[in-house]
Amino acid sequence: MVGSYDLVVIGTGVAASPIARECRAAGWRVAVVDSRPFGGTCALRGCTPKKVLAHAAAVIDSVARLRGKGIAGEGAHIDWAELIAFKRSFTDPVPERNERSFDEQGIDSFHGAARFVGPRSVRVGDDVLEARRIVVASGAEPVTLPIDGTQHLSTSDDFLELDALPDRIIFVGGGYIAFEFAHLAARAGAQATILHRGDQPLERFDPDLVGLLVERTRAIGVDLRVKHEVKRVEKTPRGVIVHADGTEGEQRFEADFAVHSAGRAPQLDRLDLAAGEVVRDGRGPKLNDYLQSMSNDAVYFAGDVTGRGAPLTPVASLDADVVTANLLQGNHVKPDYTGTPSVVFTSPPIAGVGYLEAQARAAGLRFRVNHRPTPDYFSARHVGETCSGHKVLIETETDRILGAHLVGPEAGEVINLFAIAIRTGLPARDLKRAILAFPTVSNDIQSMV
Ligand SMILES: Cc1cc2nc3c(=O)[nH]c(=O)nc-3n(C[C@H](O)[C@H](O)[C@H](O)COP(=O)(O)OP(=O)(O)OC[C@H]3O[C@@H](n4cnc5c(N)ncnc54)[C@H](O)[C@@H]3O)c2cc1C
């Protein structure tokens, strides 16, 4: 069949869906295509299911922290099968709900991998969809690792679908996926190992605060190895052996399950961009400031696939707004990612927004640094937390917050206040003057600025 549309959107995630819906609401003929169940990574294989599991780990952690401080007994533990069933109560309804609402809105749905067959046409199975505009919101995928045996590594998708938790799990790469899952696995009773190539894991977070989290990660039993470069993965009857070059030469790590957690990159390879006259620029597509292809003005990109803003859900949503506005009213909006917060949902979480200290120095900015470990703060002590601290960078001349970095209780919530301050240019003195509820963790920000 050949279909003719005003807009074809590739993907049904956070970036794709609002664009399709808004353009349809404006009267456009719209089709959406996805090669996987409708709903995208965040709702099905990312943020939402991950947070359900991370919360269970946080509950176990909070019981452990308060033992001897009024909580007694060994009672609570994670029932993995029950937890996964609970997680599925969030994810399972998503695809059908999405497809039904597309249908109700008059958006045509196509299942299968889309690839360009011309500058304004894509093929999905036997169907060719011609369109005035095409939006690529195909997300990201694990980077290809240049090592033998990568096919024996599982992905975060596989981890989130495990019906039983393996006894021994290795994470290849020390990014946020490794930390979140290792914290969870350890609290659920597994032996987790993280093998990280560089000397600091969680490279996009403040090194001093990462140091505190590394201590905590090891204290809960995670075997975290830095300067360990994975060279080869071998399959065994029971699981895998991961070979890594470490501080003591080549070492073998045996496990039942090994997860690729060494980063994700724009998912472009299956799209045959050349057939669509869409030019690439390194890992991502070559785009102008309006998220439009530089070589084919019919094509826009949004979300993780752009390789531009941080690969996070709020950024994909922002891209969706930008692309929608540019499609409907002509190019006039550029994405502004200033003040995008990022959180690792470990227990406790670590979070950051704005400049890292090293970036601010490299940019020649003049600022003061309020840095302090805070296990003595009430907010940490009353929940038995010893891993707690902050680093806030405040520009000398303007009093603007340049960057804020937190580890400890509720860091994932408190960082949003700094995100608002950075995005709106709210000076530190205004944060200090605000009246904030007490006793809350947010109230601590007045001691941080
Ligand atoms: C384990 C994990 C945890 C995460 N946790 C967080 C978090 O806590 N907070 C946060 O902000 N972000 C988190 N993220 C990142 C977040 O999920 C992404 O930034 C966000 O989902 C990106 O949305 P998107 O619409 O750009 O892409 P996606 O949601 O990935 O959607 C892309 C869609 O395109 C489809 N597709 C790809 N290629 C084709 C093709 N050729 N044809 C047809 N369809 C195709 C895919 O099947 C997919 O459904 C997490 C990611 C992962 C993997």
Side-chain angles (χ1 to χ4, degrees):
M1 169 202 130
V2 176
S4 180
Y5 293 92
D6 293 307
L7 173 68
V8 168
V9 182
I10 301 174
T12 55
V14 185
S17 296
I19 300 172
R21 293 183 196 288
E22 291 293 317
C23 289
R24 177 67 198 134
W28 288 24
R29 280 206 67 205
V30 178
V32 292
V33 191
D34 207 308
S35 54
R36 301 185 70 172
F38 280 20
T41 304
C42 182
L44 296 172
R45 302 173 293 275
C47 336
T48 314
K50 181 270 306 279
K51 189 77 192 293
V52 174
L53 305 191
H55 180 67
V59 169
I60 298 301
D61 188 59
S62 110
V63 169
R65 287 195 316 263
L66 289 172
R67 216 162 258 140
K69 298 182 178 73
I71 299 292
E74 296 300 319
H77 68 276
I78 289 181
D79 179 325
W80 186 264
E82 210 174 279
L83 181 60
I84 291 295
F86 183 47
K87 180 219 80 167
R88 289 193 177 125
S89 73
F90 294 87
T91 52
D92 282 0
V94 171
E96 198 198 318
R97 200 168 55 212
N98 266 275
E99 194 156 348
R100 197 176 340 113
S101 85
F102 284 139
D103 191 42
E104 283 164 5
Q105 243 197 297
I107 295 170
D108 289 349
S109 295
F110 291 85
H111 293 272
R115 63 184 168 85
F116 281 90
V117 288
R120 285 175 168 70
S121 48
V122 297
R123 175 181 279 281
V124 188
D126 293 335
D127 297 314
V128 174
L129 314 179
E130 283 169 358
R132 221 163 38 79
R133 294 278 186 264
I134 296 169
V135 170
V136 181
S138 55
E141 61 189 344
V143 291
T144 309
L145 294 174
I147 57 172
D148 285 342
T150 43
Q151 71 274 21
H152 307 310
L153 292 178
S154 302
T155 63
S156 55
D157 299 0
D158 303 322
F159 182 92
L160 289 168
E161 284 302 324
L162 284 169
D163 286 318
L165 187 68
D167 292 334
R168 300 165 305 168
I169 307 175
I170 290 175
F171 296 94
V172 175
Y176 75 95
I177 290 178
F179 269 73
E180 291 176 340
F181 288 179
H183 269 237
L184 164 66
R187 265 76 174 224
Q191 170 56 55
T193 301
I194 301 176
L195 302 174
H196 182 67
R197 187 170 59 172
D199 50 11
Q200 188 210 309
L202 298 175
E203 285 155 2
R204 294 190 195 134
F205 291 83
D206 177 76
D208 293 318
L209 302 188
V210 169
L212 298 178
L213 187 65
V214 162
E215 265 177 46
R216 161 51 67 89
T217 302
R218 289 186 171 134
I220 60 165
V222 175
D223 182 6
L224 168 60
R225 309 284 180 111
V226 293
K227 297 188 188 154
H228 274 66
E229 182 164 0
V230 171
K231 293 289 185 190
R232 189 159 60 90
V233 183
E234 196 185 321
K235 183 104 189 89
T236 66
R238 216 193 129 181
V240 288
I241 298 175
V242 177
H243 298 260
D245 267 354
T247 35
E248 292 147 37
E250 189 181 321
Q251 280 174 276
R252 305 160 83 245
F253 296 86
E254 277 194 66
D256 308 300
F257 192 73
V259 183
H260 180 318
S261 49
R264 292 167 63 83
Q267 188 161 19
L268 291 168
D269 289 344
R270 291 182 304 166
L271 288 162
D272 197 356
L273 293 181
E277 296 175 13
V278 175
V279 171
R280 286 175 77 148
D281 181 8
R283 289 204 312 184
K286 196 167 182 180
L287 303 179
N288 64 20
D289 289 344
Y290 303 99
L291 300 181
Q292 183 182 36
S293 163
M294 299 267 273
S295 51
N296 178 352
D297 64 8
V299 179
Y300 287 77
F301 285 76
D304 282 6
V305 72
T306 66
R308 292 196 160 197
L312 294 170
T313 287
V315 171
S317 295
L318 177 79
D319 282 357
D321 291 346
V322 167
V323 169
T324 303
N326 292 336
L327 284 170
L328 293 177
Q329 292 124 31
N331 286 350
H332 68 295
V333 186
K334 301 174 185 177
D336 171 8
Y337 304 119
T338 308
T340 304
S342 185
V343 181
V344 182
F345 291 95
T346 40
S347 297
I350 186 166
V353 59
Y355 284 96
L356 288 167
E357 187 178 354
Q359 289 171 335
R361 292 201 193 288
L365 294 163
R366 293 185 53 230
F367 57 95
R368 65 179 196 277
V369 181
N370 289 347
H371 168 43
R372 190 180 188 287
T374 53
D376 55 326
Y377 275 21
F378 173 76
S379 56
R381 280 191 59 213
H382 84 285
V383 295
E385 185 56 85
T386 51
C387 178
S388 177
H390 63 254
K391 185 183 281 184
V392 180
L393 320 179
I394 301 162
E395 192 165 44
T396 320
E397 241 170 69
T398 62
D399 204 34
R400 269 188 321 145
I401 315 275
L402 295 175
H405 308 279
L406 311 171
V407 66
E410 311 290 350
E413 298 293 335
V414 178
I415 202 68
N416 286 326
L417 296 176
F418 285 109
I420 294 169
I422 290 178
R423 195 152 171 89
T424 61
L426 194 71
R429 63 179 165 274
D430 284 351
L431 280 179
K432 226 170 168 74
R433 286 197 317 194
I435 301 175
L436 301 176
F438 184 84
T440 60
V441 187
S442 312
N443 188 281
D444 289 348
I445 67 168
Q446 299 188 315
S447 318
M448 301 181 199
V449 294

